[in-house]
Amino acid sequence: MPQADKPKMAVIGLGSMGFGMATSLKRAGFEVTGCDVAAESVARFVKEGGKGAKTPAEAAKTADIVVSVVVNAAQTETILFGESGVAETLAKDAVFISSATMDPDIARRLARQLEATGRHYLDAPISGGAQRAAQGELTVLASGSPAAFAKARPALDAMAAKVYELGDAAGQGAAFKMINQLLAGVHIAAASEAMAFAAKQGLDIRKVYEVITASAGNSWMFENRMPHVLDGDYTPRSAVEIFVKDLGIIQDMARSARFPVPVAAAALQMFLMTSASGMGRDDDASVARMYAKISGAKLPGEAG
């Protein structure tokens, strides 16, 4: 049962990550209100003992801490300042924890806008996947004022195994996350290329997986994503479109900084090609399917 003396939580966005985060908060003894554009997600959370709200404003009305777990900056801005946004009802001195991956400049702007109204903003992108979200074992890359950290601490403790405090202003957390996303996107594209190339060579790709995961060429993404290829299962744990977005943000940041990112640019093109062929909402390991389609390589579960 929620404890009366604990801060009240709202989680906006009950997708694979947000639902797990909301569940972790509830398990830690907090009263949690969930909100999502999909009514069935809210109903599922209510069925599991949470509270439900139809709009961000309604969810934030009684909350001390709002956790926003949406896809991008545009959705975050709508949740904050759009019609029925949290800024309409969120109490003064409450904190908004933004977990979306976005351009650091936008994170800084949203923070300035919210802080001007007397609330706190914590820039807190997350890493770890849906399973770690459900277990309360995420990694959080956070930056914000000392007051924002202090207000957000109960939620961070319940949702994360590691919280990196990366600066006293919004934007630093976002910038760290983009470095992670550059590597993650490149590693998925490289893993997909290698696995499809192995298939084209007629190799036993299950044995390839066994050998590579015990060798220097391994990466966390190879080890995590290539089982999807082995099983021919492209149910989206993280969709292709996520990396179209994130590697696109990296291109924008790099162009502004006059910094070359040719490897990340090549990875972006592979995600774009995969999306353009109709696999944008499928698992990001679908890049391997794109390589297979253009090369004639045979992968499990694929026709041809």
Side-chain angles (χ1 to χ4, degrees):
M1 289 291 292
Q3 296 177 20
D5 59 337
K6 286 194 167 192
K8 291 180 177 161
M9 308 282 178
V11 177
I12 315 294
L14 296 173
S16 58
M17 297 294 288
F19 197 94
M21 292 159 74
T23 301
S24 293
L25 291 167
K26 189 163 57 66
R27 190 171 57 242
F30 294 102
E31 180 183 301
V32 186
T33 301
C35 178
D36 194 277
V37 291
E40 59 270 23
S41 295
V42 179
R44 180 183 161 211
F45 184 61
V46 171
K47 189 176 180 181
E48 295 194 11
K51 294 188 171 186
K54 291 183 179 178
T55 67
E58 182 186 339
K61 197 169 186 178
T62 60
D64 304 295
I65 301 171
V66 174
V67 186
S68 173
V69 198
V70 292
V71 173
N72 56 30
Q75 290 181 3
T76 304
E77 186 161 14
T78 298
I79 285 166
L80 277 167
F81 304 113
E83 185 178 351
S84 297
V86 302
E88 290 182 11
T89 58
L90 189 61
K92 299 291 183 182
D93 209 36
V95 63
F96 181 86
I97 301 176
S98 172
S99 295
T101 300
M102 68 180 75
D103 187 307
D105 285 341
I106 298 177
R108 284 187 275 270
R109 175 175 64 78
L110 294 178
R112 282 196 302 271
Q113 286 180 246
L114 187 65
E115 288 166 354
T117 72
R119 288 91 166 195
H120 304 286
Y121 183 105
L122 193 71
D123 175 23
I126 52 179
S127 182
Q131 184 175 349
R132 290 187 193 174
Q135 293 167 344
E137 295 177 354
L138 288 169
T139 296
V140 178
L141 312 177
S143 65
S145 69
F149 270 109
K151 286 282 181 182
R153 183 65 57 193
L156 298 176
D157 288 345
M159 297 186 299
K162 290 184 181 177
V163 178
Y164 289 100
E165 299 189 19
L166 301 170
D168 60 5
Q172 289 298 99
F176 271 85
K177 180 63 186 291
M178 295 320 303
I179 300 303
N180 180 77
Q181 294 306 90
L182 186 159
L183 289 164
V186 166
H187 289 172
I188 292 169
S192 297
E193 182 175 295
M195 193 61 92
F197 186 49
K200 183 67 174 177
Q201 298 301 305
L203 302 180
D204 177 346
I205 62 172
R206 287 196 176 272
K207 185 60 70 173
V208 169
Y209 181 80
E210 180 186 337
V211 169
I212 295 303
T213 54
S215 303
N218 192 32
S219 67
W220 192 93
M221 283 300 189
F222 184 97
E223 194 163 336
N224 182 266
R225 296 304 206 268
M226 290 306 99
H228 306 172
V229 177
L230 298 179
D231 295 339
D233 179 8
Y234 298 94
T235 304
R237 288 76 160 183
S238 178
V240 167
E241 289 294 348
I242 296 293
F243 279 100
V244 171
K245 171 182 72 77
D246 291 355
L247 289 170
I249 292 171
I250 288 160
Q251 297 302 307
D252 293 342
M253 292 169 64
R255 184 168 56 249
S256 295
R258 298 297 183 266
F259 185 89
V261 285
V263 179
L268 172 59
Q269 293 306 311
M270 290 313 303
F271 283 103
L272 278 169
M273 197 182 303
T274 306
S275 176
S277 72
M279 294 184 278
R281 294 185 181 277
D282 294 344
D283 191 81
D284 51 30
S286 294
V287 175
R289 286 197 285 173
M290 172 52 59
Y291 274 107
K293 285 177 187 295
I294 62 179
S295 69
K298 302 287 192 297
L299 292 177
E302 295 297 297

